[in-house]
Amino acid sequence: MAQFSRRGVVKGVAGLAGAATFGFPQIWIKNSGLARAAGGEIKVGVLYSLTGTTAIIETSLNQATLMAIEEINAAGGVNGRKLVPVVEDPASDPATFAEKARKLVIGEKCVSVFGSYTSASRKAVLPIFERYHNLYWYPTLYEGRECSMNVIYTGAVPNQQQRDFVPWLVKNFGKRFYLIGSNYIYPKEENNVCKILLQKLGGEVVGEEYVPLGHSEFSSVIEKFKNTKPNVIFSTVVGDSVVALHRQYKAAGLDPAKMPMASLTTSEEEVRAMGGEFALGHFTSAPYFMSYESPENAKFVAAIQSKYGKNAVTNFVSEPAYFQVHLFAQAAAKLAGSDLTPPTIREAAWGQEYKAPEGLVKIDGQNSHTYLWPKIGEAQMNGQFKIIEQSKEWVEPDPYWAYPGQVCTPKGMVEKKA
Ligand code: ACM
C-alpha cells in the first residue's frame, strides 16, 4: 500500500522562536524556568512506572534507559560531562506522571526527560513540557495525531505498525476483525486507523470493545469472540491485562490457527509473564523483536542480560528507550561549547542517526518522529517472536498518515491545502 505523501513545508524555527516572535523578550524566556545544564553534569529525568498495571513493560524501559546512560558515562560522558539520571516512579497513574514531571522539570531542572508508556500518561505530562519549554523523549509506539514541539517521538506510529500488518492479516486470515483494546485514547485511535484500512480492503468490524486498564476478567469478551467468530482479534490491550487475555483465550479452547490475536502491544515482556504456550501462534507488528539478528542487537541483548539477569528480555519499547538516550547524547555532544537547554537539544536532535539494534534509525527534522524498520512476528513456545515479514527499508514516520492533508512541522500541525 502506498504511503500518503506529506511535506511541502519549509524547514522551520527552533523551539522558542514562536514565543520570541509573539513579543516575549529573551530575558522573559531566560527567567521562565528554562532548564540549563551547568558545570560538569547533565541532569536528565527517567519517568517510567515501576509499580502499577503497566510496570510489567515500563520496568524494562527504566532499565534500558539507565543502561544507556551508564554506557555513555563509561565512554566519557557527553564531551566529558556525565549524565546524571533522576529517577521517579509515576506508578502507572497519569496524575502521578504529571506530579513527577513537574518535579523533574521545575524542581530538578532536568534538560530532558525520558518517559511514558501509555499515551494517557504522555498527554498528562505534555502541558508541563510545553509550559516550561522542556523536552520529553517518548519511546513508545502510539496512535500519532500529535505534533508537540516538546516531544521527540522514537516509537512507531500507525504507518510504521499497521500499514503493512492489516493487509497481511486480511490476506492470510480474512476480513472479519474483532477490535479489543484498553479503554483510553491509544487503542481508540489505533482502531480508527484499523477501520480506515479495513474499509479500503473491504473488511468488516464484527465487534469493538474497550476494557478498563488493569482489567483481568475476559470471560464475557471471550464469549463474544466465540459468538461472532472473527478471522482476527485485533488487540490493543495493554499492561497486565495482556497476560490475562491470552491465558483466558487458551483456557476457553480458542485456536490461534483459526482466530489469531494480532497485537500492537504484546511484546516479549508480556509473553514472558504469561508463558510462551499462551502466546504461541499469535502475531505482533513492531519495528523490533529480541530475535532480530544484527551485531547491534546481539550486543544490546547481551548487555541487558549481563546487567539484569540471564532471563531478562528486550522488547519493542525497551529498544527505543535505549537508543533514544544515545540519540540524546549525540545531540547534546553536537552542542559542545554552547548552551545546553531543551530547545537547543531539540534542534540538534533533528536528523540525528544511530545504528540501533533494529537497524539504522533517524529523527525526522520536520516532525520529530523516527524512521524505523517495521516487522511482523509470530510468537513461539520459547517466548520469542519468529520474524516472518520485515520492511526492506526504513519507513519514514508520518504521524498524520491516516488523515491526509494534516502535516506535523516544527511549527506544529498544519493543514495542507489540496
Ligand atoms: C500507548 O498507549 N501508546 C501504548
Side-chain angles (χ1 to χ4, degrees):
M1 181 176 299
Q3 237 182 301
F4 299 120
S5 69
R6 52 172 205 144
R7 306 294 138 87
V9 288
V10 182
K11 198 166 183 169
V13 293
L16 285 177
T21 52
F22 280 101
F24 296 109
Q26 203 63 19
I27 188 75
W28 181 86
I29 292 164
K30 283 217 170 91
N31 292 337
S32 69
L34 188 66
R36 182 173 270 106
E41 295 183 339
I42 301 169
K43 243 196 230 184
V44 291
V46 181
L47 189 60
Y48 298 112
S49 303
L50 303 172
T51 54
T53 192
T54 51
I56 183 172
I57 184 83
E58 292 194 53
T59 300
S60 71
L61 312 187
N62 163 288
Q63 292 179 341
T65 302
L66 293 177
M67 188 178 89
I69 289 172
E70 270 183 32
E71 284 177 2
I72 291 157
N73 286 341
V78 175
N79 299 325
R81 300 166 83 181
K82 294 273 186 248
L83 297 183
V84 178
V86 185
V87 178
E88 292 291 341
D89 173 13
S92 306
D93 171 46
T96 311
F97 263 93
E99 178 201 322
K100 302 287 186 185
R102 234 174 263 118
K103 183 173 171 200
L104 293 171
V105 167
I106 306 166
E108 297 287 349
K109 294 253 185 305
C110 295
V111 290
S112 278
V113 177
F114 307 104
S116 275
Y117 176 74
T118 69
S119 292
S121 65
R122 185 190 72 256
K123 295 279 188 199
V125 304
L126 255 184
I128 297 148
F129 286 85
E130 293 181 341
R131 164 83 174 79
Y132 292 94
H133 312 293
N134 210 297
L135 195 56
Y136 202 45
W137 294 70
Y138 179 60
T140 308
L141 57 121
Y142 90 106
E143 66 280 1
R145 283 190 108 177
E146 190 177 285
C147 184
S148 173
M149 302 210 315
N150 301 89
V151 182
I152 300 285
Y153 304 84
T154 57
V157 281
N159 76 300
Q160 297 167 313
Q161 233 187 339
Q162 287 207 54
R163 185 193 70 183
D164 300 332
F165 193 33
V166 172
W168 182 87
L169 291 165
V170 166
K171 186 167 155 226
N172 286 281
F173 294 98
K175 295 182 171 178
R176 304 178 72 253
F177 278 41
Y178 196 111
L179 312 180
I180 174 79
S182 297
N183 192 9
Y184 71 105
I185 185 172
Y186 162 75
K188 291 181 179 173
E189 283 287 343
E190 287 284 357
N191 283 341
N192 285 341
V193 176
C194 184
K195 284 186 235 174
I196 291 170
L197 286 168
L198 281 178
Q199 197 181 18
K200 287 182 181 162
L201 297 162
E204 186 190 348
V205 175
V206 299
E208 179 173 359
E209 182 134 358
Y210 298 95
V211 296
L213 278 165
H215 191 68
S216 61
E217 172 46 65
F218 283 91
S219 56
S220 68
V221 172
I222 286 171
E223 211 43 46
K224 289 178 192 162
F225 295 164
K226 286 183 172 171
N227 293 337
T228 53
K229 296 189 177 50
N231 302 122
V232 173
I233 298 164
F234 192 75
S235 173
T236 46
V237 168
V238 302
D240 294 328
S241 303
V242 177
V243 175
L245 173 63
H246 281 75
R247 287 192 167 161
Q248 290 165 36
Y249 170 105
K250 188 169 166 60
L254 296 177
D255 180 3
K258 296 196 184 110
M259 194 196 288
M261 285 198 268
S263 177
L264 305 180
T265 46
T266 304
S267 79
E268 291 83 349
E269 210 67 57
E270 291 83 2
V271 173
R272 183 173 66 140
M274 72 180 76
E277 70 270 33
F278 297 100
L280 181 66
H282 295 297
F283 298 92
T284 291
S285 168
Y288 172 85
F289 291 103
M290 184 174 172
S291 58
Y292 182 63
E293 288 182 15
S294 73
E296 293 77 20
N297 191 35
K299 197 168 146 242
F300 174 52
V301 171
I304 285 282
Q305 292 186 334
S306 144
K307 189 166 168 54
Y308 298 111
K310 65 178 179 8
N311 294 326
V313 293
T314 56
N315 64 72
F316 57 80
V317 203
S318 71
E319 187 242 10
Y322 169 79
F323 76 62
Q324 70 175 10
V325 182
H326 283 281
L327 285 165
F328 162 86
Q330 285 178 197
K334 229 176 106 181
L335 296 168
S338 50
D339 218 11
L340 206 62
T341 64
T344 58
I345 294 166
R346 175 176 188 262
E347 195 168 353
W350 290 332
Q352 284 296 325
E353 294 184 359
Y354 180 74
K355 255 196 146 185
E358 70 179 81
L360 185 68
V361 298
K362 179 173 84 165
I363 299 174
D364 187 89
Q366 287 287 318
N367 63 33
S368 300
H369 289 64
T370 304
Y371 284 66
L372 301 169
W373 297 82
K375 300 172 180 71
I376 298 172
E378 179 176 0
Q380 309 291 300
M381 190 64 129
N382 66 0
Q384 292 295 313
F385 285 84
K386 181 174 165 199
I387 298 171
I388 51 181
E389 295 283 334
Q390 56 185 310
S391 176
K392 290 187 179 50
E393 50 197 30
W394 66 11
V395 173
E396 178 183 13
D398 189 349
Y400 291 89
W401 173 72
Y403 302 92
Q406 299 183 345
V407 182
C408 179
T409 78
K411 289 180 180 168
M413 194 276 281
V414 297
E415 299 274 358
K416 241 179 19 178
K417 294 201 175 58

